[in-house]
Amino acid sequence: MFDRLEIRVLPPGPRFAAQLRFWVNGEDVIEGAVHEGGRGPFAADVLPAGRPSLLRATCEVRRLELGEPECTGGCCGFLSVVVQRFGDIVQWSDWEVPHAPASPPPELHFDASQYDAEVARAEADRRWQVHT
C-alpha cells in the first residue's frame, strides 16, 4: 500500500510569507517531526513561477528541506528528506530531523502518478501569491 501526499499552502501572515505544509496519510509531517510552532518552506522557494518545483521526483537523488523549528533551521537544524524516483515509486527516506527526536519519520513510498499529480496541482495553484 502506498503513502498519500497532500501539499497545502498556508497563506502569508504578519511574520512569514506563504509556506508549504506536507500532509502524508492525513498527518502533518512538519508538525509531527518539528512540533508545534515549526514552519514549512516558503511557497515561492519550492514552487517557483515558470520553473519546475523542487518537489518533482527524478532518478537523481536530492535532499529537500521540508521544515524548520520556530527558532529557525540555522539554530536547531532543518527537517529534510532524500527524494528519489524508482520507476513507478517515489521514495522519501534518510530523514534529518531538528532536535534529534527519538525516531525520525518512517521511509515513505508514493505511487508516482499520484505524487506527480499532487506536485503539478500545487505548482498550478498560485492563489497564495500576493501582488502588491
Side-chain angles (χ1 to χ4, degrees), residues 86-103:
F86 296 97
D88 293 336
I89 298 171
V90 174
Q91 176 180 286
W92 284 12
S93 63
D94 300 315
W95 292 89
E96 290 183 3
V97 183
H99 308 298
S103 60

Side-chain angles (χ1 to χ4, degrees), residues 6 20 35 57 65 67 82-83 105:
E6 182 183 350
L20 297 182
H35 305 296
E65 290 177 1
V82 170
V83 177

Side-chain angles (χ1 to χ4, degrees), residues 20-33:
L20 297 182
R21 296 302 274 227
F22 305 95
W23 289 71
V24 175
N25 304 326
E27 295 185 31
D28 184 338
V29 172
I30 296 166
E31 186 173 307

Side-chain angles (χ1 to χ4, degrees), residues 2-120:
F2 288 112
D3 296 293
R4 186 159 184 80
L5 175 67
E6 182 183 350
I7 302 167
R8 298 183 185 175
V9 179
L10 298 182
R15 189 168 164 206
F16 293 113
Q19 60 180 287
L20 297 182
R21 296 302 274 227
F22 305 95
W23 289 71
V24 175
N25 304 326
E27 295 185 31
D28 184 338
V29 172
I30 296 166
E31 186 173 307
V34 180
H35 305 296
E36 191 174 330
R39 68 172 186 84
F42 293 126
D45 293 340
V46 180
L47 302 172
R51 292 190 322 228
S53 168
L54 299 173
L55 292 169
R56 288 196 183 182
T58 67
C59 59
E60 180 182 320
V61 177
R62 181 172 53 238
R63 179 164 292 280
L64 294 177
E65 290 177 1
L66 299 181
E68 62 184 308
E70 187 173 26
C71 63
T72 76
C75 172
C76 294
F78 292 91
L79 172 64
S80 68
V81 67
V82 170
V83 177
Q84 186 174 12
R85 179 185 296 270
F86 296 97
D88 293 336
I89 298 171
V90 174
Q91 176 180 286
W92 284 12
S93 63
D94 300 315
W95 292 89
E96 290 183 3
V97 183
H99 308 298
S103 60
E107 190 169 279
L108 301 170
H109 299 92
F110 305 100
D111 173 77
S113 60
Q114 186 273 325
Y115 184 93
D116 292 345
E118 181 60 9
V119 171

